[in-house]
């Protein structure tokens, strides 16, 4: 079944290898129409799948960035599609060097459950803009949403342009094994490794958007109130189930007592009714909820202090899978919270005196997807940017580098490779074809056999023969 659907796509790409601008813009417009017509229904389905997902968060983090991308693509696609002229070296003038972005063909997108709409459709938008046909395999953990997406896409798109296939791990494995022209995977590092291995059998180019432990540094020079407010926003968003959520925070010793207080105050200000507010989302499954409690218990057993919001006595509530943002103070490397990606509302807090210590702790982990720094010192900012490596950075706030249409988004090392968003995504899903166009006035014939005096003269003139290198 999957194989025959794939063949249909492959055939369509062969029939129309270079969809024109108008066709691509029609596809982008059709995605926009889906968002306009079914935004409410998607939001409802996602909330049902989660148990509860804040409607505002779905609009803010799933739908609005997609609408933004649609507008960005509509504005710039004609320019991105242009064949670019690049300089030709003197030797080969008056020939011309060109780069032509060409559709790769058929793209597979495998997406996770945490921002199920955005992470299925954002790469899709960019792949369609680049002239590809796309099949999406969304997560089985958001089954109502995935079915709705499949159904609404089937109504809006020809079945050989965009299609959604639904199923569990077995189908996902079969999907990853198809000979895509590009496979775009968002999910865990563990599954990402498997996907890369599977795709390598076909030498399929893969983009891996993975997870990991994203650190935050709150430096001595930080505005603590501002840092705490931002950390609360980033950790409470989707109850911490965000790939670029701050995973742990390194706080300068100067703020040892004030940090927890500032965090609590900011949390109470943003979520005064934490137990009941519809602004706070549930954990996606009982398994995910129980795992957070296990991490917490392990940290407590090993001596961490746990700080839960005392104005929300009803929490944690397993029946609604509601777990409050919780500080794990004095976390250590031996605790599971410092060994696994948390992907929930727990926030380990460690203290440092010298920046080198903070770098050492960060260096003990795989390269992260994001890194956040709060501070005012230009010298320290420079050290942070030069001496750490991460997929992306936000300074004096969290999360927001992902929302910038002109910045590439992607990981490094174990947090993934390749990137997308805006033109970066367009390029990622294009074959950037290098072209050299020869001129009738070319002197290339002088460099052909039989090699004689003219060749020797030219070779000497160009520094290739009979001269020692500088
Ligand atoms: P996951 O890896 O369990 O699943 C992701 C997708 O992969 C799902 O559609 C699933 O069906 C599919 N899948 C499962 N096994 C597969 C296999 N063997 N072969 C091919 N596909 C398979 O991830 P998840 O639990 O849905 O999402 C959470 C993870 O995703 C976290 O680690 C998070 O950091 C990461 N994430 C990363 C980004 C990013 O942009 N870098 C964004 C969101 C989430």
């Amino acid at each position: 079944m999957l194989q025959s659907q794939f063949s249909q796509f492959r055939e369509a790409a062969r029939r129309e290898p270079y969809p024109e601008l108008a066709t691509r813009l029609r596809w982008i417009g059709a995605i926009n129409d889906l968002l306009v017509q079914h935004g409410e229904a998607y939001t409802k389905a996602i909330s049902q799948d989660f148990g509860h997902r804040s409607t505002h968060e779905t609009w803010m983090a799933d739908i609005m960035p997609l609408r933004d991308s649609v507008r960005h693509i509509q504005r710039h696609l004609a320019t991105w599609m242009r064949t670019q002229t690049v300089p030709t070296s003197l030797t080969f003038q008056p020939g011309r060097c060109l780069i032509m972005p060409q559709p790769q063909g058929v793209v597979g997108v495998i997406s996770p459950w945490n921002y199920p709409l955005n992470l299925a459709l954002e790469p899709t938008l960019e792949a369609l803009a680049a002239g590809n046909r796309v099949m999406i395999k969304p997560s089985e953990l958001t089954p109502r949403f995935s079915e709705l997406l499949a159904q609404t896409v089937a109504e809006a798109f020809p079945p050989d342009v965009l299609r959604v296939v639904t199923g569990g791990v077995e189908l996902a494995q079969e999907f990853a094994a198809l000979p895509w022209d590009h496979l775009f995977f968002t999910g865990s590092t563990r599954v990402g490794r498997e996907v890369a291995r599977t795709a390598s059998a076909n030498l399929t180019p893969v983009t891996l958007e993975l997870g990991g432990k994203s650190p935050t540094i709150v430096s001595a020079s930080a505005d603590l109130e501002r840092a705490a407010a931002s950390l609360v926003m980033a950790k409470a968003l989707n109850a911490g189930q965000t790939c670029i959520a701050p995973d742990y925070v390194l706080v300068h010793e100067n703020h040892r007592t004030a940090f927890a207080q500032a965090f609590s105050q900011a949390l109470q200000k943003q979520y005064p009714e934490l137990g009941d507010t519809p602004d706070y989302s549930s954990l996606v499954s009982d398994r995910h909820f129980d795992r957070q409690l296990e991490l917490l218990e392990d940290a407590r057993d090993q001596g961490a202090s746990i700080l839960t919001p005392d104005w929300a006595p009803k929490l944690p509530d397993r029946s609604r899978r509601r777990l409050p943002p919780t500080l794990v103070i004095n976390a250590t490397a031996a605790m599971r919270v410092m060994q696994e990606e948390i992907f929930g509302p727990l926030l380990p807090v460690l203290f440092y005196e010298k920046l080198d210590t903070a770098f050492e702790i960060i260096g003990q982990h795989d390269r992260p997807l994001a890194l956040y720094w709060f501070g005012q010192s230009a010298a320290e900012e420079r050290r942070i940017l030069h001496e750490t490596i991460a997929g992306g950075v936000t300074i004096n706030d969290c999360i927001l580098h992902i929302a910038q249409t002109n910045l590439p988004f992607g990981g490094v090392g174990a947090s993934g490779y390749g990137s997308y968003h805006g033109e970066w995504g367009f390029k990622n899903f294009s074959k950037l074809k290098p072209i050299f166009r020869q001129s009738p006035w070319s002197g290339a014939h002088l460099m052909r056999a039989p090699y004689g005096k003219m060749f020797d003269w030219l070779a000497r003139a160009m520094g290739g023969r009979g001269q020692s290198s500088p």
Side-chain angles (χ1 to χ4, degrees), residues 13 72 95 107 124 131 145 179 325 355 365 369 388 420 435 455 464:
H72 188 68
V107 171
T124 298
F145 163 74
L355 201 52
H365 296 95
L369 184 58
T388 66
Y420 72 133
I435 303 163
F455 177 93

Side-chain angles (χ1 to χ4, degrees), residues 156-341:
F157 278 88
D160 57 6
V161 173
L162 177 63
R163 185 193 281 260
V164 178
V165 295
T166 57
V169 173
E170 224 169 276
L171 179 100
Q173 284 168 326
E174 202 189 324
F175 190 92
L178 290 169
W180 304 102
D181 297 305
H182 193 127
L183 180 57
F184 188 98
F185 173 83
T186 306
S188 61
T189 299
R190 180 186 65 79
V191 176
R193 273 183 218 284
E194 213 177 300
V195 167
R197 238 191 330 264
T198 306
S200 71
N202 299 313
L203 294 181
T204 295
V206 185
T207 301
L208 293 180
E209 297 284 343
L210 310 177
K213 294 185 77 61
S214 298
T216 299
I217 301 174
V218 178
S219 98
S221 65
D223 175 337
L224 197 56
E225 209 178 303
R226 200 168 142 186
S230 169
L231 277 162
V232 165
M233 173 280 290
K235 202 63 202 184
L237 177 72
N238 208 24
Q241 302 165 110
T242 303
C243 56
I244 50 169
D247 188 276
Y248 60 97
V249 55
L250 297 156
V251 177
H252 192 271
E253 275 290 346
N254 288 3
H255 305 305
R256 185 174 268 275
T257 46
F259 176 76
Q261 208 182 352
F263 187 88
S264 290
Q265 276 169 0
L267 185 59
Q268 192 160 12
K269 194 166 165 199
Q270 291 177 41
Y271 296 89
E273 309 287 342
L274 191 52
D276 300 306
T277 175
D279 292 348
Y280 194 64
S281 299
S282 298
L283 297 194
V284 73
S285 75
D286 289 346
R287 180 169 61 85
H288 288 76
F289 183 89
D290 291 342
R291 182 177 157 266
Q292 296 294 313
L293 292 190
E294 284 165 24
L295 295 182
L296 213 49
E297 204 168 298
D298 170 73
R300 192 183 282 120
D301 287 350
Q302 297 199 55
S305 323
I306 310 299
L307 191 77
T308 47
D310 54 12
W311 67 95
K314 285 197 243 164
L315 300 182
D317 178 351
R318 192 171 189 275
S319 68
R320 291 180 296 150
R321 296 199 292 272
R322 187 173 280 226
L323 180 67
T326 302
L327 294 184
V328 179
I329 297 171
N330 285 325
T332 65
M335 296 173 187
R336 280 181 63 192
V337 279
M338 285 306 292
Q339 293 166 353
E340 303 167 21
E341 178 183 7

